[in-house]
Amino acid sequence: LLFKLTMPDHLRAIKVLRPLPQVQNAGIFGAAIHVSVAEKDDVIAIQTALKGNGIRDFEIEPIEPSLEDVYLSLVAHDKDEVR
C-alpha cells in the first residue's frame, strides 16, 4: 500500500519514517513523501511516530503507485536480495 505524506520538513520526516518497522520504503517525490507499508493500519504507527517527534503539521492519504514508484520498489527489492 502506498501513501502520500505532505508536510513542510521532508528531511526530518524521512529520518523518523525510515527506521520504523512498518515502513517498507519512504522517499521524497516532489513536494511529498511516498511511504509504502504492508497494512492499512500501519498508517497509525506512522502518525504516532511523526507526532511523537514533534511533527504535527502533515497530511497523509492513500495513492495509486506511479511507474516511478514501482521501479524504485523493484530496485530496492533487488538490492535487498544481493545482500
Side-chain angles (χ1 to χ4, degrees), residues 20-83:
L20 295 177
Q22 296 86 354
V23 173
Q24 295 174 335
N25 193 13
I28 297 173
F29 282 78
I33 296 173
H34 287 191
V35 182
S36 60
V37 296
E39 303 291 330
K40 188 174 183 176
D41 289 344
D42 291 340
V43 172
I44 296 167
I46 290 170
Q47 293 169 324
T48 302
L50 291 171
K51 289 176 183 176
N53 282 276
I55 302 172
R56 298 194 184 328
D57 184 19
F58 65 88
E59 293 181 20
I60 189 164
E61 63 182 303
I63 59 171
E64 291 294 320
S66 68
L67 187 57
E68 185 178 4
D69 291 313
V70 173
Y71 172 76
L72 292 175
S73 175
L74 290 172
V75 169
H77 180 72
D78 285 347
K79 280 184 182 178
D80 290 342
E81 285 187 2
V82 170
R83 292 182 191 171

Side-chain angles (χ1 to χ4, degrees), residues 10-28:
H10 293 96
L11 295 178
R12 184 172 169 207
I14 284 286
K15 288 178 183 176
V16 171
L17 294 172
R18 286 193 173 152
L20 295 177
Q22 296 86 354
V23 173
Q24 295 174 335
N25 193 13
I28 297 173

